[in-house]
Amino acid sequence: MEIKDFHTYQEQSRKTWNDIRMDHSIVYPTLGLVNEAGEFAGKIKKIFRDKGGVISEGDRQALASELGDVLWYLTQICTELDVRLEDVAAGNIDKLFDRLARGKIHGDGDNR
Ligand SMILES: [Mg+2]
């Protein structure tokens, strides 16, 4: 399936959401996001441990698949919060470009 924008992805991905029977439906995708980020990190760890840090084409595809899993959970969190994924993306790039324009792209703190 071709996905041309975040809105389409958010709509389509929701069709694969299983209605989780939890009192707090934000918990499941939050744990899933961290789990999938960990799977990505684990693959990077093994590439450095076993392959000298050289990323093969197979590794690249496996890493991209994990990033897709991260994206799925991130998107479900947005939906659970009634937030549009495209607004999250736009807000993030606006924040970063503002920091870049003010010479504050490096450093730390949420409100630079
Ligand atoms: Mg995964």
PDB file of all heavy atoms in Angstrom, residues 3-35:
ATOM      1  N   ILE A   3       1.566   4.969   0.934  1.00  0.00           N
ATOM      2  CA  ILE A   3       1.145   5.945   1.928  1.00  0.00           C
ATOM      3  C   ILE A   3       1.803   7.280   1.581  1.00  0.00           C
ATOM      4  O   ILE A   3       3.025   7.372   1.560  1.00  0.00           O
ATOM      5  CB  ILE A   3       1.559   5.521   3.352  1.00  0.00           C
ATOM      6  CG1 ILE A   3       0.936   4.183   3.741  1.00  0.00           C
ATOM      7  CG2 ILE A   3       1.203   6.621   4.360  1.00  0.00           C
ATOM      8  CD1 ILE A   3      -0.556   4.214   3.975  1.00  0.00           C
ATOM      9  N   LYS A   4       1.008   8.277   1.290  1.00  0.00           N
ATOM     10  CA  LYS A   4       1.564   9.555   0.846  1.00  0.00           C
ATOM     11  C   LYS A   4       1.602  10.606   1.936  1.00  0.00           C
ATOM     12  O   LYS A   4       2.231  11.647   1.763  1.00  0.00           O
ATOM     13  CB  LYS A   4       0.760  10.089  -0.348  1.00  0.00           C
ATOM     14  CG  LYS A   4       0.916   9.240  -1.586  1.00  0.00           C
ATOM     15  CD  LYS A   4       0.209   9.868  -2.763  1.00  0.00           C
ATOM     16  CE  LYS A   4       0.475   9.027  -4.015  1.00  0.00           C
ATOM     17  NZ  LYS A   4      -0.190   9.557  -5.195  1.00  0.00           N
ATOM     18  N   ASP A   5       0.917  10.370   3.034  1.00  0.00           N
ATOM     19  CA  ASP A   5       0.908  11.381   4.085  1.00  0.00           C
ATOM     20  C   ASP A   5       0.603  10.731   5.433  1.00  0.00           C
ATOM     21  O   ASP A   5       0.125   9.591   5.508  1.00  0.00           O
ATOM     22  CB  ASP A   5      -0.120  12.478   3.785  1.00  0.00           C
ATOM     23  CG  ASP A   5      -1.507  11.894   3.605  1.00  0.00           C
ATOM     24  OD1 ASP A   5      -2.106  11.480   4.621  1.00  0.00           O
ATOM     25  OD2 ASP A   5      -1.996  11.851   2.456  1.00  0.00           O
ATOM     26  N   PHE A   6       0.919  11.447   6.485  1.00  0.00           N
ATOM     27  CA  PHE A   6       0.726  10.933   7.835  1.00  0.00           C
ATOM     28  C   PHE A   6      -0.750  10.686   8.149  1.00  0.00           C
ATOM     29  O   PHE A   6      -1.085   9.743   8.859  1.00  0.00           O
ATOM     30  CB  PHE A   6       1.297  11.909   8.863  1.00  0.00           C
ATOM     31  CG  PHE A   6       2.798  11.929   8.926  1.00  0.00           C
ATOM     32  CD1 PHE A   6       3.493  13.113   8.825  1.00  0.00           C
ATOM     33  CD2 PHE A   6       3.518  10.763   9.110  1.00  0.00           C
ATOM     34  CE1 PHE A   6       4.876  13.143   8.906  1.00  0.00           C
ATOM     35  CE2 PHE A   6       4.896  10.768   9.190  1.00  0.00           C
ATOM     36  CZ  PHE A   6       5.581  11.972   9.080  1.00  0.00           C
ATOM     37  N   HIS A   7      -1.614  11.532   7.634  1.00  0.00           N
ATOM     38  CA  HIS A   7      -3.042  11.361   7.909  1.00  0.00           C
ATOM     39  C   HIS A   7      -3.532  10.014   7.379  1.00  0.00           C
ATOM     40  O   HIS A   7      -4.244   9.278   8.079  1.00  0.00           O
ATOM     41  CB  HIS A   7      -3.844  12.513   7.293  1.00  0.00           C
ATOM     42  CG  HIS A   7      -5.319  12.364   7.481  1.00  0.00           C
ATOM     43  ND1 HIS A   7      -5.933  12.490   8.719  1.00  0.00           N
ATOM     44  CD2 HIS A   7      -6.303  12.050   6.609  1.00  0.00           C
ATOM     45  CE1 HIS A   7      -7.236  12.291   8.586  1.00  0.00           C
ATOM     46  NE2 HIS A   7      -7.483  12.020   7.322  1.00  0.00           N
ATOM     47  N   THR A   8      -3.134   9.693   6.160  1.00  0.00           N
ATOM     48  CA  THR A   8      -3.530   8.412   5.575  1.00  0.00           C
ATOM     49  C   THR A   8      -2.965   7.258   6.397  1.00  0.00           C
ATOM     50  O   THR A   8      -3.661   6.276   6.682  1.00  0.00           O
ATOM     51  CB  THR A   8      -3.035   8.311   4.117  1.00  0.00           C
ATOM     52  OG1 THR A   8      -3.597   9.395   3.371  1.00  0.00           O
ATOM     53  CG2 THR A   8      -3.443   6.986   3.483  1.00  0.00           C
ATOM     54  N   TYR A   9      -1.700   7.384   6.794  1.00  0.00           N
ATOM     55  CA  TYR A   9      -1.094   6.326   7.604  1.00  0.00           C
ATOM     56  C   TYR A   9      -1.853   6.152   8.913  1.00  0.00           C
ATOM     57  O   TYR A   9      -2.139   5.026   9.332  1.00  0.00           O
ATOM     58  CB  TYR A   9       0.393   6.600   7.884  1.00  0.00           C
ATOM     59  CG  TYR A   9       0.981   5.494   8.733  1.00  0.00           C
ATOM     60  CD1 TYR A   9       1.353   4.286   8.156  1.00  0.00           C
ATOM     61  CD2 TYR A   9       1.077   5.634  10.112  1.00  0.00           C
ATOM     62  CE1 TYR A   9       1.831   3.241   8.937  1.00  0.00           C
ATOM     63  CE2 TYR A   9       1.556   4.590  10.901  1.00  0.00           C
ATOM     64  CZ  TYR A   9       1.926   3.399  10.307  1.00  0.00           C
ATOM     65  OH  TYR A   9       2.382   2.376  11.082  1.00  0.00           O
ATOM     66  N   GLN A  10      -2.192   7.289   9.542  1.00  0.00           N
ATOM     67  CA  GLN A  10      -2.883   7.204  10.836  1.00  0.00           C
ATOM     68  C   GLN A  10      -4.234   6.509  10.666  1.00  0.00           C
ATOM     69  O   GLN A  10      -4.609   5.660  11.480  1.00  0.00           O
ATOM     70  CB  GLN A  10      -3.052   8.603  11.446  1.00  0.00           C
ATOM     71  CG  GLN A  10      -3.549   8.566  12.883  1.00  0.00           C
ATOM     72  CD  GLN A  10      -3.383   9.889  13.620  1.00  0.00           C
ATOM     73  OE1 GLN A  10      -3.019  10.896  13.037  1.00  0.00           O
ATOM     74  NE2 GLN A  10      -3.642   9.874  14.913  1.00  0.00           N
ATOM     75  N   GLU A  11      -4.945   6.837   9.610  1.00  0.00           N
ATOM     76  CA  GLU A  11      -6.248   6.197   9.365  1.00  0.00           C
ATOM     77  C   GLU A  11      -6.101   4.712   9.056  1.00  0.00           C
ATOM     78  O   GLU A  11      -6.824   3.872   9.592  1.00  0.00           O
ATOM     79  CB  GLU A  11      -6.962   6.888   8.199  1.00  0.00           C
ATOM     80  CG  GLU A  11      -7.670   8.149   8.585  1.00  0.00           C
ATOM     81  CD  GLU A  11      -8.590   8.626   7.471  1.00  0.00           C
ATOM     82  OE1 GLU A  11      -8.490   8.176   6.315  1.00  0.00           O
ATOM     83  OE2 GLU A  11      -9.424   9.490   7.780  1.00  0.00           O
ATOM     84  N   GLN A  12      -5.184   4.391   8.149  1.00  0.00           N
ATOM     85  CA  GLN A  12      -5.025   2.999   7.723  1.00  0.00           C
ATOM     86  C   GLN A  12      -4.488   2.114   8.852  1.00  0.00           C
ATOM     87  O   GLN A  12      -4.942   0.985   9.031  1.00  0.00           O
ATOM     88  CB  GLN A  12      -4.103   2.922   6.496  1.00  0.00           C
ATOM     89  CG  GLN A  12      -4.689   3.551   5.254  1.00  0.00           C
ATOM     90  CD  GLN A  12      -5.994   2.901   4.828  1.00  0.00           C
ATOM     91  OE1 GLN A  12      -6.134   1.681   4.813  1.00  0.00           O
ATOM     92  NE2 GLN A  12      -6.973   3.718   4.485  1.00  0.00           N
ATOM     93  N   SER A  13      -3.520   2.645   9.590  1.00  0.00           N
ATOM     94  CA  SER A  13      -2.916   1.826  10.648  1.00  0.00           C
ATOM     95  C   SER A  13      -3.926   1.498  11.739  1.00  0.00           C
ATOM     96  O   SER A  13      -3.860   0.442  12.369  1.00  0.00           O
ATOM     97  CB  SER A  13      -1.687   2.523  11.242  1.00  0.00           C
ATOM     98  OG  SER A  13      -2.057   3.648  12.012  1.00  0.00           O
ATOM     99  N   ARG A  14      -4.882   2.402  11.930  1.00  0.00           N
ATOM    100  CA  ARG A  14      -5.870   2.163  12.991  1.00  0.00           C
ATOM    101  C   ARG A  14      -6.746   0.966  12.699  1.00  0.00           C
ATOM    102  O   ARG A  14      -7.316   0.339  13.609  1.00  0.00           O
ATOM    103  CB  ARG A  14      -6.721   3.424  13.202  1.00  0.00           C
ATOM    104  CG  ARG A  14      -7.531   3.384  14.489  1.00  0.00           C
ATOM    105  CD  ARG A  14      -6.636   3.285  15.710  1.00  0.00           C
ATOM    106  NE  ARG A  14      -7.390   3.412  16.944  1.00  0.00           N
ATOM    107  CZ  ARG A  14      -6.834   3.488  18.146  1.00  0.00           C
ATOM    108  NH1 ARG A  14      -5.527   3.476  18.284  1.00  0.00           N
ATOM    109  NH2 ARG A  14      -7.575   3.590  19.217  1.00  0.00           N
ATOM    110  N   LYS A  15      -6.866   0.608  11.424  1.00  0.00           N
ATOM    111  CA  LYS A  15      -7.675  -0.559  11.054  1.00  0.00           C
ATOM    112  C   LYS A  15      -7.070  -1.850  11.588  1.00  0.00           C
ATOM    113  O   LYS A  15      -7.753  -2.876  11.648  1.00  0.00           O
ATOM    114  CB  LYS A  15      -7.809  -0.638   9.523  1.00  0.00           C
ATOM    115  CG  LYS A  15      -8.624   0.513   8.943  1.00  0.00           C
ATOM    116  CD  LYS A  15      -8.672   0.429   7.434  1.00  0.00           C
ATOM    117  CE  LYS A  15      -9.463   1.605   6.864  1.00  0.00           C
ATOM    118  NZ  LYS A  15      -9.433   1.626   5.383  1.00  0.00           N
ATOM    119  N   THR A  16      -5.781  -1.795  11.945  1.00  0.00           N
ATOM    120  CA  THR A  16      -5.119  -2.991  12.467  1.00  0.00           C
ATOM    121  C   THR A  16      -5.022  -2.984  13.990  1.00  0.00           C
ATOM    122  O   THR A  16      -4.396  -3.863  14.578  1.00  0.00           O
ATOM    123  CB  THR A  16      -3.697  -3.137  11.875  1.00  0.00           C
ATOM    124  OG1 THR A  16      -2.870  -2.052  12.321  1.00  0.00           O
ATOM    125  CG2 THR A  16      -3.747  -3.153  10.358  1.00  0.00           C
ATOM    126  N   TRP A  17      -5.622  -1.994  14.601  1.00  0.00           N
ATOM    127  CA  TRP A  17      -5.639  -1.892  16.073  1.00  0.00           C
ATOM    128  C   TRP A  17      -6.617  -2.898  16.636  1.00  0.00           C
ATOM    129  O   TRP A  17      -7.766  -2.986  16.197  1.00  0.00           O
ATOM    130  CB  TRP A  17      -6.057  -0.472  16.460  1.00  0.00           C
ATOM    131  CG  TRP A  17      -6.384  -0.233  17.906  1.00  0.00           C
ATOM    132  CD1 TRP A  17      -7.623  -0.267  18.466  1.00  0.00           C
ATOM    133  CD2 TRP A  17      -5.479   0.114  18.956  1.00  0.00           C
ATOM    134  NE1 TRP A  17      -7.542   0.043  19.798  1.00  0.00           N
ATOM    135  CE2 TRP A  17      -6.235   0.278  20.136  1.00  0.00           C
ATOM    136  CE3 TRP A  17      -4.092   0.300  19.023  1.00  0.00           C
ATOM    137  CZ2 TRP A  17      -5.657   0.614  21.358  1.00  0.00           C
ATOM    138  CZ3 TRP A  17      -3.523   0.643  20.232  1.00  0.00           C
ATOM    139  CH2 TRP A  17      -4.309   0.791  21.375  1.00  0.00           C
ATOM    140  N   ASN A  18      -6.155  -3.701  17.566  1.00  0.00           N
ATOM    141  CA  ASN A  18      -7.063  -4.576  18.294  1.00  0.00           C
ATOM    142  C   ASN A  18      -7.564  -3.811  19.505  1.00  0.00           C
ATOM    143  O   ASN A  18      -6.775  -3.207  20.218  1.00  0.00           O
ATOM    144  CB  ASN A  18      -6.342  -5.844  18.763  1.00  0.00           C
ATOM    145  CG  ASN A  18      -6.129  -6.810  17.634  1.00  0.00           C
ATOM    146  OD1 ASN A  18      -6.994  -6.982  16.781  1.00  0.00           O
ATOM    147  ND2 ASN A  18      -4.963  -7.420  17.588  1.00  0.00           N
ATOM    148  N   ASP A  19      -8.842  -3.858  19.705  1.00  0.00           N
ATOM    149  CA  ASP A  19      -9.405  -3.130  20.833  1.00  0.00           C
ATOM    150  C   ASP A  19      -8.915  -3.787  22.119  1.00  0.00           C
ATOM    151  O   ASP A  19      -9.337  -4.880  22.469  1.00  0.00           O
ATOM    152  CB  ASP A  19     -10.930  -3.145  20.758  1.00  0.00           C
ATOM    153  CG  ASP A  19     -11.544  -2.072  21.630  1.00  0.00           C
ATOM    154  OD1 ASP A  19     -10.811  -1.147  22.033  1.00  0.00           O
ATOM    155  OD2 ASP A  19     -12.749  -2.170  21.897  1.00  0.00           O
ATOM    156  N   ILE A  20      -7.986  -3.127  22.745  1.00  0.00           N
ATOM    157  CA  ILE A  20      -7.364  -3.678  23.945  1.00  0.00           C
ATOM    158  C   ILE A  20      -8.263  -3.402  25.135  1.00  0.00           C
ATOM    159  O   ILE A  20      -8.666  -2.267  25.374  1.00  0.00           O
ATOM    160  CB  ILE A  20      -5.974  -3.037  24.177  1.00  0.00           C
ATOM    161  CG1 ILE A  20      -5.116  -3.166  22.929  1.00  0.00           C
ATOM    162  CG2 ILE A  20      -5.296  -3.672  25.389  1.00  0.00           C
ATOM    163  CD1 ILE A  20      -4.874  -4.571  22.456  1.00  0.00           C
ATOM    164  N   ARG A  21      -8.565  -4.457  25.845  1.00  0.00           N
ATOM    165  CA  ARG A  21      -9.438  -4.305  27.010  1.00  0.00           C
ATOM    166  C   ARG A  21      -8.610  -3.889  28.224  1.00  0.00           C
ATOM    167  O   ARG A  21      -8.148  -4.692  29.007  1.00  0.00           O
ATOM    168  CB  ARG A  21     -10.155  -5.621  27.294  1.00  0.00           C
ATOM    169  CG  ARG A  21     -10.977  -6.122  26.134  1.00  0.00           C
ATOM    170  CD  ARG A  21     -12.256  -5.326  25.961  1.00  0.00           C
ATOM    171  NE  ARG A  21     -12.964  -5.776  24.783  1.00  0.00           N
ATOM    172  CZ  ARG A  21     -13.609  -4.969  23.960  1.00  0.00           C
ATOM    173  NH1 ARG A  21     -13.626  -3.674  24.168  1.00  0.00           N
ATOM    174  NH2 ARG A  21     -14.256  -5.444  22.926  1.00  0.00           N
ATOM    175  N   MET A  22      -8.399  -2.620  28.325  1.00  0.00           N
ATOM    176  CA  MET A  22      -7.647  -2.080  29.453  1.00  0.00           C
ATOM    177  C   MET A  22      -8.382  -0.845  29.950  1.00  0.00           C
ATOM    178  O   MET A  22      -9.043  -0.160  29.188  1.00  0.00           O
ATOM    179  CB  MET A  22      -6.229  -1.657  29.049  1.00  0.00           C
ATOM    180  CG  MET A  22      -5.358  -2.759  28.510  1.00  0.00           C
ATOM    181  SD  MET A  22      -3.723  -2.150  28.069  1.00  0.00           S
ATOM    182  CE  MET A  22      -2.840  -2.547  29.560  1.00  0.00           C
ATOM    183  N   ASP A  23      -8.241  -0.558  31.210  1.00  0.00           N
ATOM    184  CA  ASP A  23      -8.843   0.656  31.748  1.00  0.00           C
ATOM    185  C   ASP A  23      -8.202   1.905  31.146  1.00  0.00           C
ATOM    186  O   ASP A  23      -8.851   2.907  30.952  1.00  0.00           O
ATOM    187  CB  ASP A  23      -8.698   0.696  33.273  1.00  0.00           C
ATOM    188  CG  ASP A  23      -9.605  -0.330  33.950  1.00  0.00           C
ATOM    189  OD1 ASP A  23     -10.580  -0.770  33.297  1.00  0.00           O
ATOM    190  OD2 ASP A  23      -9.324  -0.688  35.101  1.00  0.00           O
ATOM    191  N   HIS A  24      -6.921   1.813  30.875  1.00  0.00           N
ATOM    192  CA  HIS A  24      -6.189   2.958  30.331  1.00  0.00           C
ATOM    193  C   HIS A  24      -5.548   2.536  29.006  1.00  0.00           C
ATOM    194  O   HIS A  24      -4.474   1.959  28.983  1.00  0.00           O
ATOM    195  CB  HIS A  24      -5.126   3.432  31.325  1.00  0.00           C
ATOM    196  CG  HIS A  24      -5.707   3.758  32.669  1.00  0.00           C
ATOM    197  ND1 HIS A  24      -6.432   4.916  32.881  1.00  0.00           N
ATOM    198  CD2 HIS A  24      -5.701   3.090  33.837  1.00  0.00           C
ATOM    199  CE1 HIS A  24      -6.838   4.936  34.141  1.00  0.00           C
ATOM    200  NE2 HIS A  24      -6.416   3.849  34.741  1.00  0.00           N
ATOM    201  N   SER A  25      -6.239   2.844  27.908  1.00  0.00           N
ATOM    202  CA  SER A  25      -5.810   2.328  26.607  1.00  0.00           C
ATOM    203  C   SER A  25      -4.506   2.953  26.122  1.00  0.00           C
ATOM    204  O   SER A  25      -3.940   2.486  25.140  1.00  0.00           O
ATOM    205  CB  SER A  25      -6.909   2.540  25.571  1.00  0.00           C
ATOM    206  OG  SER A  25      -7.211   3.916  25.456  1.00  0.00           O
ATOM    207  N   ILE A  26      -4.009   3.977  26.792  1.00  0.00           N
ATOM    208  CA  ILE A  26      -2.726   4.571  26.424  1.00  0.00           C
ATOM    209  C   ILE A  26      -1.558   3.676  26.832  1.00  0.00           C
ATOM    210  O   ILE A  26      -0.473   3.756  26.263  1.00  0.00           O
ATOM    211  CB  ILE A  26      -2.590   5.989  27.057  1.00  0.00           C
ATOM    212  CG1 ILE A  26      -1.441   6.780  26.425  1.00  0.00           C
ATOM    213  CG2 ILE A  26      -2.402   5.896  28.567  1.00  0.00           C
ATOM    214  CD1 ILE A  26      -1.725   7.259  25.056  1.00  0.00           C
ATOM    215  N   VAL A  27      -1.804   2.802  27.797  1.00  0.00           N
ATOM    216  CA  VAL A  27      -0.700   1.993  28.348  1.00  0.00           C
ATOM    217  C   VAL A  27      -0.159   1.012  27.312  1.00  0.00           C
ATOM    218  O   VAL A  27       1.060   0.896  27.124  1.00  0.00           O
ATOM    219  CB  VAL A  27      -1.153   1.246  29.623  1.00  0.00           C
ATOM    220  CG1 VAL A  27      -0.081   0.277  30.108  1.00  0.00           C
ATOM    221  CG2 VAL A  27      -1.516   2.247  30.711  1.00  0.00           C
ATOM    222  N   TYR A  28      -1.056   0.309  26.631  1.00  0.00           N
ATOM    223  CA  TYR A  28      -0.611  -0.726  25.680  1.00  0.00           C
ATOM    224  C   TYR A  28       0.289  -0.154  24.583  1.00  0.00           C
ATOM    225  O   TYR A  28       1.403  -0.661  24.370  1.00  0.00           O
ATOM    226  CB  TYR A  28      -1.832  -1.440  25.083  1.00  0.00           C
ATOM    227  CG  TYR A  28      -1.487  -2.414  24.001  1.00  0.00           C
ATOM    228  CD1 TYR A  28      -0.908  -3.637  24.295  1.00  0.00           C
ATOM    229  CD2 TYR A  28      -1.721  -2.093  22.664  1.00  0.00           C
ATOM    230  CE1 TYR A  28      -0.575  -4.524  23.295  1.00  0.00           C
ATOM    231  CE2 TYR A  28      -1.390  -2.973  21.654  1.00  0.00           C
ATOM    232  CZ  TYR A  28      -0.814  -4.186  21.968  1.00  0.00           C
ATOM    233  OH  TYR A  28      -0.478  -5.058  20.978  1.00  0.00           O
ATOM    234  N   PRO A  29      -0.122   0.899  23.875  1.00  0.00           N
ATOM    235  CA  PRO A  29       0.774   1.395  22.820  1.00  0.00           C
ATOM    236  C   PRO A  29       2.038   2.072  23.370  1.00  0.00           C
ATOM    237  O   PRO A  29       3.059   2.089  22.687  1.00  0.00           O
ATOM    238  CB  PRO A  29      -0.102   2.384  22.041  1.00  0.00           C
ATOM    239  CG  PRO A  29      -1.175   2.788  22.975  1.00  0.00           C
ATOM    240  CD  PRO A  29      -1.424   1.592  23.849  1.00  0.00           C
ATOM    241  N   THR A  30       1.970   2.594  24.576  1.00  0.00           N
ATOM    242  CA  THR A  30       3.175   3.189  25.166  1.00  0.00           C
ATOM    243  C   THR A  30       4.217   2.108  25.436  1.00  0.00           C
ATOM    244  O   THR A  30       5.397   2.263  25.095  1.00  0.00           O
ATOM    245  CB  THR A  30       2.824   3.931  26.471  1.00  0.00           C
ATOM    246  OG1 THR A  30       1.889   4.972  26.165  1.00  0.00           O
ATOM    247  CG2 THR A  30       4.056   4.522  27.118  1.00  0.00           C
ATOM    248  N   LEU A  31       3.773   1.001  26.010  1.00  0.00           N
ATOM    249  CA  LEU A  31       4.699  -0.108  26.247  1.00  0.00           C
ATOM    250  C   LEU A  31       5.186  -0.698  24.923  1.00  0.00           C
ATOM    251  O   LEU A  31       6.356  -1.076  24.780  1.00  0.00           O
ATOM    252  CB  LEU A  31       4.033  -1.186  27.105  1.00  0.00           C
ATOM    253  CG  LEU A  31       3.698  -0.762  28.536  1.00  0.00           C
ATOM    254  CD1 LEU A  31       2.929  -1.874  29.245  1.00  0.00           C
ATOM    255  CD2 LEU A  31       4.945  -0.395  29.317  1.00  0.00           C
ATOM    256  N   GLY A  32       4.285  -0.757  23.949  1.00  0.00           N
ATOM    257  CA  GLY A  32       4.673  -1.271  22.635  1.00  0.00           C
ATOM    258  C   GLY A  32       5.719  -0.397  21.961  1.00  0.00           C
ATOM    259  O   GLY A  32       6.655  -0.906  21.337  1.00  0.00           O
ATOM    260  N   LEU A  33       5.576   0.919  22.094  1.00  0.00           N
ATOM    261  CA  LEU A  33       6.548   1.850  21.504  1.00  0.00           C
ATOM    262  C   LEU A  33       7.942   1.610  22.078  1.00  0.00           C
ATOM    263  O   LEU A  33       8.926   1.495  21.342  1.00  0.00           O
ATOM    264  CB  LEU A  33       6.110   3.295  21.765  1.00  0.00           C
ATOM    265  CG  LEU A  33       7.075   4.377  21.295  1.00  0.00           C
ATOM    266  CD1 LEU A  33       7.169   4.413  19.772  1.00  0.00           C
ATOM    267  CD2 LEU A  33       6.634   5.746  21.831  1.00  0.00           C
ATOM    268  N   VAL A  34       8.007   1.501  23.389  1.00  0.00           N
ATOM    269  CA  VAL A  34       9.303   1.296  24.048  1.00  0.00           C
ATOM    270  C   VAL A  34       9.874  -0.082  23.686  1.00  0.00           C
ATOM    271  O   VAL A  34      11.074  -0.232  23.435  1.00  0.00           O
ATOM    272  CB  VAL A  34       9.158   1.459  25.575  1.00  0.00           C
ATOM    273  CG1 VAL A  34      10.449   1.113  26.282  1.00  0.00           C
ATOM    274  CG2 VAL A  34       8.726   2.884  25.900  1.00  0.00           C
ATOM    275  N   ASN A  35       8.990  -1.091  23.624  1.00  0.00           N
ATOM    276  CA  ASN A  35       9.439  -2.433  23.248  1.00  0.00           C
ATOM    277  C   ASN A  35      10.030  -2.433  21.840  1.00  0.00           C
ATOM    278  O   ASN A  35      11.102  -3.001  21.602  1.00  0.00           O
ATOM    279  CB  ASN A  35       8.271  -3.410  23.331  1.00  0.00           C
ATOM    280  CG  ASN A  35       8.689  -4.817  22.944  1.00  0.00           C
ATOM    281  OD1 ASN A  35       9.516  -5.425  23.607  1.00  0.00           O
ATOM    282  ND2 ASN A  35       8.130  -5.321  21.860  1.00  0.00           N
TER     283      ASN A  35
END
